[in-house]
Amino acid sequence: MFGLRRAASGLWSARLSIPRNRWKDVGQAFQTKSGIRQDFVKSLQTKDKQEAIQRRDAALAALRSVVNEKLREIGKPPLGGEWEASGMGITEKAVVDALSARKQIDQASDAYEPVQDAYGNVNENI
């Protein structure tokens, strides 16, 4: 699962992986003892996998913004690229797609609107 980690307690966490070529920059920004930082982890405060998947995007965005702000403070460029759903497994992608479809259905209108063809005839079958 991209960006998720499950602790022994059963709680899910979001995990932001830092690209290898930026470990030293991020370590310098956060003044780590070893001089490198490979990842950041933030608890999602849930034991439910689907809830964790829903909360993951906001948590990763928050972690990324904190890291980018620290990098700017020391004059380094921010982390490049944005997280996309393409790294997810089939199950996670299905959940995200289903939630998106559900939102579209909720926003759809229930009003009846008959369709007219080019000649002005109403076609009830479309």
Side-chain angles (χ1 to χ4, degrees), residues 59-110:
L60 288 176
L63 287 171
R64 182 180 290 274
S65 68
V66 168
V67 172
N68 285 340
E69 183 60 34
K70 286 284 198 176
L71 287 171
R72 282 188 199 98
E73 287 176 9
I74 65 165
K76 300 285 184 178
L79 296 177
E82 293 296 324
W83 178 82
E84 295 181 8
S86 62
M88 293 190 296
I90 294 171
T91 305
E92 292 104 10
K93 184 156 177 34
V95 169
V96 170
D97 290 345
L99 291 172
S100 174
R102 184 178 190 177
K103 185 184 288 185
Q104 289 176 353
I105 290 169
D106 289 342
Q107 294 173 350
S109 172
D110 291 337

Coordinates of all heavy atoms in Angstrom, one line a residue, residues 59-110:
A59 N -3.1 13.7 5.0 CA -1.9 13.6 5.8 C -0.6 13.7 5.0 O 0.4 14.4 5.5 CB -1.9 12.3 6.5
L60 N -0.5 13.1 3.8 CA 0.7 13.2 3.0 C 0.9 14.6 2.5 O 2.0 15.1 2.5 CB 0.6 12.3 1.8 CG 0.7 10.8 2.1 CD1 0.5 9.9 0.9 CD2 2.1 10.5 2.7
A61 N -0.2 15.3 2.2 CA -0.1 16.7 1.8 C 0.5 17.6 2.9 O 1.3 18.5 2.7 CB -1.4 17.3 1.3
A62 N 0.0 17.3 4.1 CA 0.5 18.1 5.3 C 1.9 17.8 5.6 O 2.7 18.7 5.8 CB -0.4 17.7 6.5
L63 N 2.3 16.5 5.5 CA 3.7 16.2 5.7 C 4.6 16.8 4.6 O 5.7 17.4 4.9 CB 3.9 14.7 5.7 CG 3.4 13.9 6.9 CD1 3.5 12.4 6.6 CD2 4.2 14.2 8.1
R64 N 4.2 16.8 3.4 CA 4.9 17.4 2.3 C 5.1 18.9 2.5 O 6.2 19.4 2.2 CB 4.3 17.1 0.9 CG 5.1 17.6 -0.3 CD 4.4 17.3 -1.6 NE 4.5 15.9 -1.9 CZ 5.5 15.3 -2.5 NH1 6.5 16.0 -2.9 NH2 5.5 14.0 -2.8
S65 N 4.0 19.6 2.9 CA 4.1 21.0 3.1 C 5.1 21.4 4.2 O 5.8 22.3 4.1 CB 2.8 21.6 3.3 OG 2.2 21.2 4.6
V66 N 5.1 20.6 5.3 CA 6.1 20.8 6.4 C 7.5 20.7 5.9 O 8.4 21.5 6.2 CB 5.8 19.9 7.6 CG1 6.9 19.9 8.6 CG2 4.5 20.2 8.2
V67 N 7.8 19.6 5.1 CA 9.1 19.3 4.6 C 9.5 20.4 3.7 O 10.6 21.0 3.7 CB 9.2 17.9 3.9 CG1 10.5 17.8 3.2 CG2 9.0 16.8 4.9
N68 N 8.6 20.8 2.7 CA 8.9 21.9 1.8 C 9.2 23.2 2.5 O 10.1 23.9 2.0 CB 7.8 22.0 0.7 CG 7.8 20.9 -0.3 OD1 8.9 20.2 -0.4 ND2 6.7 20.7 -0.9
E69 N 8.5 23.5 3.5 CA 8.7 24.8 4.2 C 10.1 24.8 4.9 O 10.8 25.8 4.8 CB 7.6 25.0 5.3 CG 7.7 26.3 6.0 CD 7.6 27.5 5.2 OE1 6.9 27.4 4.2 OE2 8.3 28.5 5.4
K70 N 10.5 23.7 5.5 CA 11.8 23.6 6.1 C 12.9 23.7 5.1 O 13.9 24.3 5.3 CB 11.9 22.2 6.9 CG 11.2 22.2 8.2 CD 11.9 23.0 9.2 CE 11.4 22.6 10.6 NZ 12.2 23.3 11.6
L71 N 12.7 23.0 3.9 CA 13.7 23.1 2.8 C 13.8 24.6 2.3 O 15.0 25.0 2.1 CB 13.3 22.2 1.7 CG 13.5 20.7 2.0 CD1 12.9 19.9 0.9 CD2 15.0 20.3 2.1
R72 N 12.7 25.3 2.2 CA 12.8 26.7 1.8 C 13.6 27.5 2.8 O 14.3 28.5 2.4 CB 11.4 27.2 1.6 CG 10.7 26.8 0.3 CD 9.4 27.5 0.0 NE 8.7 26.8 -0.9 CZ 7.7 26.0 -0.6 NH1 7.3 25.8 0.6 NH2 7.0 25.3 -1.6
E73 N 13.4 27.2 4.1 CA 14.1 28.0 5.1 C 15.6 27.9 5.0 O 16.3 28.9 5.4 CB 13.6 27.5 6.5 CG 12.2 27.9 6.9 CD 11.8 27.4 8.2 OE1 12.6 26.8 9.0 OE2 10.6 27.5 8.6
I74 N 16.1 26.8 4.5 CA 17.6 26.7 4.4 C 18.0 26.9 3.0 O 19.2 26.7 2.7 CB 18.1 25.3 4.9 CG1 17.5 24.2 4.1 CG2 17.7 25.1 6.4 CD1 18.2 22.8 4.3
G75 N 17.1 27.4 2.1 CA 17.5 27.8 0.8 C 17.6 26.6 -0.2 O 18.2 26.7 -1.3
K76 N 17.0 25.5 0.1 CA 17.0 24.3 -0.8 C 15.7 24.3 -1.6 O 14.6 24.7 -1.1 CB 17.1 23.0 0.0 CG 18.4 22.9 0.8 CD 19.6 22.7 -0.1 CE 20.8 22.5 0.8 NZ 22.0 22.1 0.0
P77 N 15.6 23.7 -2.8 CA 14.4 23.6 -3.5 C 13.4 22.6 -2.8 O 13.9 21.6 -2.2 CB 14.8 23.0 -4.9 CG 16.2 22.4 -4.7 CD 16.8 23.1 -3.5
P78 N 12.1 22.8 -3.0 CA 11.2 21.9 -2.4 C 11.2 20.5 -3.1 O 11.7 20.4 -4.2 CB 9.8 22.6 -2.6 CG 10.0 23.5 -3.8 CD 11.5 23.9 -3.7
L79 N 10.6 19.5 -2.4 CA 10.5 18.2 -3.0 C 9.6 18.3 -4.3 O 8.6 19.0 -4.3 CB 9.8 17.2 -2.1 CG 10.5 16.9 -0.8 CD1 9.7 16.0 0.1 CD2 11.9 16.3 -1.1
G80 N 10.0 17.7 -5.4 CA 9.3 17.7 -6.6 C 8.2 16.7 -6.7 O 8.2 15.7 -6.0
G81 N 7.3 16.9 -7.6 CA 6.3 15.9 -7.9 C 5.2 15.9 -6.9 O 5.3 16.4 -5.8
E82 N 4.0 15.4 -7.3 CA 2.9 15.3 -6.4 C 2.5 13.8 -6.4 O 2.7 13.1 -7.3 CB 1.7 16.1 -7.0 CG 1.9 17.6 -6.9 CD 2.0 18.1 -5.5 OE1 1.4 17.6 -4.6 OE2 2.8 19.0 -5.3
W83 N 1.9 13.4 -5.3 CA 1.5 12.0 -5.1 C 0.2 11.8 -6.0 O -0.6 12.6 -6.0 CB 1.2 11.7 -3.7 CG 0.7 10.4 -3.4 CD1 1.4 9.2 -3.3 CD2 -0.7 10.0 -3.3 NE1 0.6 8.2 -3.1 CE2 -0.7 8.6 -3.2 CE3 -1.9 10.6 -3.4 CZ2 -1.8 7.8 -3.0 CZ3 -3.0 9.9 -3.2 CH2 -3.0 8.5 -3.1
E84 N 0.2 10.7 -6.6 CA -1.0 10.3 -7.5 C -1.4 8.9 -7.1 O -0.7 8.1 -6.6 CB -0.6 10.3 -8.9 CG -0.3 11.7 -9.5 CD 0.0 11.7 -10.9 OE1 -0.1 10.6 -11.6 OE2 0.5 12.7 -11.4
A85 N -2.7 8.6 -7.4 CA -3.3 7.3 -7.0 C -2.7 6.2 -7.8 O -3.0 5.0 -7.6 CB -4.8 7.4 -7.2
S86 N -1.9 6.4 -8.8 CA -1.4 5.4 -9.7 C -0.5 4.3 -9.0 O -0.4 3.2 -9.4 CB -0.6 6.0 -10.9 OG 0.6 6.6 -10.4
G87 N 0.1 4.7 -7.8 CA 0.9 3.8 -7.1 C 0.1 2.8 -6.2 O 0.7 2.0 -5.5
M88 N -1.2 2.9 -6.2 CA -2.0 2.1 -5.3 C -2.2 0.7 -5.9 O -2.1 0.5 -7.1 CB -3.4 2.8 -5.1 CG -3.3 4.0 -4.3 SD -4.9 4.6 -3.9 CE -5.6 5.0 -5.4
G89 N -2.6 -0.2 -5.0 CA -2.9 -1.5 -5.4 C -4.3 -1.5 -6.0 O -5.0 -0.5 -6.0
I90 N -4.7 -2.7 -6.5 CA -6.1 -2.8 -7.1 C -7.2 -2.5 -6.1 O -8.1 -1.8 -6.4 CB -6.2 -4.2 -7.7 CG1 -5.2 -4.4 -8.9 CG2 -7.6 -4.4 -8.2 CD1 -5.1 -5.8 -9.4
T91 N -7.0 -3.0 -4.9 CA -8.1 -2.8 -3.9 C -8.2 -1.3 -3.5 O -9.4 -0.8 -3.5 CB -7.8 -3.6 -2.6 OG1 -7.6 -5.0 -3.0 CG2 -8.9 -3.5 -1.6
E92 N -7.1 -0.6 -3.3 CA -7.2 0.8 -2.9 C -7.8 1.6 -4.1 O -8.5 2.5 -3.8 CB -5.8 1.3 -2.5 CG -5.3 0.7 -1.2 CD -4.2 -0.3 -1.5 OE1 -3.8 -0.4 -2.6 OE2 -3.9 -1.0 -0.5
K93 N -7.3 1.3 -5.3 CA -7.8 2.0 -6.4 C -9.4 1.8 -6.6 O -10.1 2.8 -6.9 CB -7.1 1.6 -7.7 CG -7.5 2.5 -8.9 CD -6.5 2.5 -10.0 CE -6.9 3.2 -11.2 NZ -7.7 4.4 -11.1
A94 N -9.8 0.6 -6.4 CA -11.3 0.4 -6.5 C -12.0 1.2 -5.4 O -13.1 1.7 -5.7 CB -11.5 -1.1 -6.3
V95 N -11.5 1.3 -4.2 CA -12.1 2.0 -3.1 C -12.2 3.5 -3.5 O -13.2 4.2 -3.4 CB -11.4 1.8 -1.8 CG1 -11.9 2.8 -0.8 CG2 -11.6 0.4 -1.3
V96 N -11.1 4.0 -4.0 CA -11.1 5.5 -4.4 C -12.0 5.7 -5.6 O -12.8 6.7 -5.6 CB -9.6 5.9 -4.8 CG1 -9.6 7.2 -5.4 CG2 -8.7 5.8 -3.6
D97 N -12.1 4.8 -6.6 CA -13.0 5.0 -7.7 C -14.4 4.9 -7.2 O -15.3 5.6 -7.7 CB -12.7 3.9 -8.8 CG -11.4 4.1 -9.5 OD1 -10.8 5.2 -9.4 OD2 -10.9 3.2 -10.1
A98 N -14.7 4.0 -6.3 CA -16.1 3.8 -5.8 C -16.5 5.1 -5.1 O -17.7 5.5 -5.2 CB -16.2 2.6 -4.9
L99 N -15.6 5.6 -4.2 CA -16.0 6.8 -3.5 C -16.2 8.0 -4.4 O -17.1 8.8 -4.2 CB -14.9 7.2 -2.5 CG -14.8 6.2 -1.3 CD1 -13.6 6.5 -0.5 CD2 -16.0 6.2 -0.5
S100 N -15.4 8.1 -5.5 CA -15.6 9.1 -6.5 C -16.9 9.0 -7.2 O -17.7 10.0 -7.4 CB -14.4 9.1 -7.5 OG -14.7 10.0 -8.5
A101 N -17.3 7.8 -7.6 CA -18.5 7.5 -8.3 C -19.7 7.8 -7.4 O -20.7 8.4 -7.8 CB -18.6 6.0 -8.8
R102 N -19.6 7.5 -6.1 CA -20.6 7.8 -5.1 C -20.9 9.3 -5.0 O -22.0 9.7 -4.9 CB -20.3 7.2 -3.8 CG -21.4 7.3 -2.7 CD -20.9 6.7 -1.5 NE -22.0 6.6 -0.5 CZ -22.0 6.1 0.6 NH1 -20.9 5.5 1.0 NH2 -23.0 6.1 1.4
K103 N -19.8 10.0 -5.0 CA -19.9 11.5 -4.9 C -20.6 12.0 -6.2 O -21.5 12.9 -6.1 CB -18.5 12.1 -4.8 CG -18.6 13.6 -4.6 CD -17.2 14.2 -4.5 CE -16.5 13.9 -3.3 NZ -15.2 14.5 -3.1
Q104 N -20.3 11.5 -7.3 CA -20.9 12.0 -8.6 C -22.4 11.6 -8.6 O -23.3 12.4 -9.0 CB -20.3 11.3 -9.8 CG -18.9 11.9 -10.1 CD -18.2 11.1 -11.2 OE1 -18.7 10.2 -11.7 NE2 -17.0 11.6 -11.6
I105 N -22.8 10.4 -8.1 CA -24.2 10.1 -8.0 C -24.9 11.0 -7.0 O -26.1 11.4 -7.3 CB -24.3 8.6 -7.6 CG1 -23.8 7.7 -8.7 CG2 -25.8 8.2 -7.2 CD1 -23.7 6.2 -8.3
D106 N -24.3 11.3 -5.9 CA -25.0 12.2 -4.9 C -25.2 13.6 -5.5 O -26.2 14.3 -5.2 CB -24.1 12.3 -3.7 CG -24.2 11.0 -2.8 OD1 -25.1 10.2 -3.1 OD2 -23.3 10.9 -2.0
Q107 N -24.3 14.0 -6.4 CA -24.4 15.3 -7.0 C -25.3 15.4 -8.2 O -25.7 16.5 -8.7 CB -23.1 15.9 -7.4 CG -22.2 16.1 -6.2 CD -20.8 16.5 -6.6 OE1 -20.4 16.4 -7.7 NE2 -20.0 16.9 -5.6
A108 N -25.7 14.2 -8.8 CA -26.5 14.2 -10.0 C -27.9 14.7 -9.7 O -28.5 14.5 -8.6 CB -26.5 12.7 -10.5
S109 N -28.5 15.2 -10.8 CA -29.9 15.7 -10.7 C -30.9 14.6 -10.9 O -30.7 13.7 -11.7 CB -30.1 16.8 -11.7 OG -31.5 17.2 -11.8
D110 N -32.0 14.7 -10.2 CA -33.1 13.7 -10.3 C -34.2 14.3 -11.3 O -35.2 13.6 -11.5 CB -33.8 13.4 -9.0 CG -32.8 12.6 -8.1 OD1 -31.9 11.9 -8.6 OD2 -33.0 12.6 -6.9

